Amino acid sequence: MTLAMIGSGLMGGGIALDAARHGLDVLIYDARPDGLPRLKERAAGVYARWAKNGRMTSEAADAALTRLLPAPTLAEVGKADIVIEAVFEDLSVKRAVFAELAPHLGADTVVATNTSALRVAALAEGFDFADRVLGLHYFSPAEVCPLVEVVRAARTGDAAITGAMNFLTATRRTALACADTPGFAINRFFCPYYNEATRIAADGLATPEQIDLVARERLGVAAGPFTVLNLIGPRVAGHAMANLGPLGPFYAVTPALIAKGKAGGLYDVAEGASLPATADAVEDRLLAAIAIPALELLAERVADPQETDRGAVMALKFKQGPYALMGGYPLARLEAAVASLCARDGHKAPLIALPAAA
């Protein structure tokens, strides 16, 4: 099996170096002339670290590096068994890549997009290979995180799903099957969670440092929302949240996150804070920000709730996923928290009906 990557940045490069590690030849196409050399330098560092800690041998590391190969033209890319596009998260940019790729695709080549929130159907619309297009959404760092959301659009055929699943099996990834809705499963609740955190801080209810502490101690997350925002980058995070906007007023990106993205810089989350007097209110707002989209996901049957919970643990390092988390709260408190945020935003409150195992 041969993989072709279009884009070798943070996500595309991570997918590529992991696939090469698992024995696949990986063709790299990047508009930047230094794309492949930079990826090889990054891969050499990662492989050396893995060899040092026993995840792979030095011989395997050397062999993996040789599997990262140049693809000077899209004609070379089209010969691969599976192509994964990992360019900038913009619908017009991604569709332009598809249009350039179209004349060069092999008859059976599977085409995947690593979009985190854009609808796969919107990307594939109008192309005669739409039945071979699906979403393969990796989580950062792509070379480490085992979870991949497998997104099936209305026109995605069985052969494309089979080819993608064979690829994920070969690279030892865990698939989470999702319907083609904005944010899919994980980002549908994760983006509103960090978005709400920025609103809480802007409202003066607590500082970013205190909000992170509440999230760690009360919700059981490994890293609080502002720590994660620093890793993602506020501009990228705001763009991801904006993609959920069509889902309703609750999903509007906050002015605070937009402003931070434009201003640049990181949030101050130095450890040492104590829980604020407002900890219960902060907890309820973070809980509701997760619960509202998770309940909508359940009603829309976007993904299996137990698999979504497992995915949250794998991809986000949550102690438990959204349904298990909600199940740990008194129903009256959960209902009040959800109703409060929905009333504030003029958003229709979802039905609170948790899956049996939650």
Side-chain angles (χ1 to χ4, degrees):
M1 180 181 293
T2 301
L3 166 69
M5 286 300 312
I6 301 178
S8 61
L10 179 65
M11 295 303 295
I15 297 168
L17 70 87
D18 178 70
R21 176 202 173 195
H22 285 99
L24 275 67
D25 286 335
V26 185
L27 300 170
I28 308 296
Y29 179 86
D30 199 304
R32 302 167 302 176
D34 63 344
L36 181 57
R38 290 177 63 180
L39 175 58
K40 283 215 166 192
E41 182 180 356
R42 172 184 167 190
V46 172
Y47 293 156
R49 185 170 69 249
W50 287 351
K52 185 176 180 179
N53 64 26
R55 290 188 63 185
M56 64 192 309
T57 65
S58 297
E59 294 76 14
D62 292 340
L65 272 177
T66 68
R67 299 188 191 105
L68 296 171
L69 305 167
T73 67
L74 287 174
E76 293 297 316
V77 170
K79 298 175 184 177
D81 297 299
I82 183 167
V83 176
I84 301 179
E85 163 276 310
V87 301
F88 185 67
E89 188 76 346
D90 180 272
L91 181 63
S92 61
V93 173
K94 290 179 181 291
R95 281 183 57 83
V97 169
F98 277 21
E100 292 181 42
L101 177 64
H104 307 292
L105 277 178
D108 300 314
T109 301
V110 175
V111 181
T113 173
N114 185 50
T115 181
S116 61
L118 297 172
R119 291 193 63 210
V120 175
L123 291 171
E125 184 178 3
F127 293 109
D128 60 9
F129 57 90
D131 63 314
R132 290 184 274 147
V133 179
L134 76 159
L136 288 181
H137 176 220
Y138 284 72
F139 294 82
S140 187
E143 65 269 27
V144 174
C145 183
L147 185 73
V148 180
E149 289 180 316
V150 179
V151 185
R152 183 170 195 157
R155 288 193 58 192
T156 306
D158 291 343
I161 296 295
T162 298
M165 292 302 294
N166 288 341
F167 165 71
L168 294 178
T169 298
T171 53
R172 300 182 184 179
R173 287 297 177 254
T174 299
L176 172 58
C178 300
D180 186 21
T181 61
F184 313 133
I186 302 299
N187 275 352
R188 175 73 171 267
F189 63 84
F190 182 59
C191 293
Y193 155 75
Y194 66 62
N195 192 55
E196 183 64 22
T198 67
R199 193 188 301 275
I200 293 169
D203 288 347
L205 204 60
T207 66
E209 182 184 15
Q210 291 172 325
I211 295 167
D212 272 13
L213 182 61
V214 172
R216 293 196 305 270
E217 293 201 359
R218 300 288 183 86
L219 302 185
V221 301
F226 287 100
T227 298
V228 174
L229 281 169
N230 284 346
L231 294 172
I232 299 172
R235 186 182 70 87
V236 173
H239 188 76
M241 184 66 207
N243 286 331
L244 304 184
L247 292 168
F250 165 75
Y251 293 93
V253 60
T254 66
L257 184 52
I258 293 172
K260 186 66 173 179
K262 291 180 178 178
L266 301 177
Y267 292 99
D268 182 7
V269 290
E271 294 188 10
S274 300
L275 284 174
T278 56
D280 287 351
V282 171
E283 179 184 4
D284 283 354
R285 284 177 62 170
L286 292 176
L287 169 65
I290 292 172
I292 292 166
L295 291 167
E296 291 176 348
L297 284 171
L298 192 62
E300 296 164 17
R301 298 184 178 181
V302 172
D304 178 87
Q306 281 73 40
E307 292 300 306
T308 300
D309 270 357
R310 183 172 70 146
V313 173
M314 296 175 72
L316 306 177
K317 306 302 181 186
F318 278 20
K319 183 178 180 181
Q320 53 188 348
Y323 302 106
L325 176 67
M326 286 188 281
Y329 282 85
L331 181 59
R333 182 176 179 182
L334 178 62
E335 288 177 332
V338 167
S340 177
L341 258 61
C342 288
R344 179 196 70 191
D345 296 334
H347 190 83
K348 182 180 178 181
L351 175 67
I352 298 181
L354 300 180

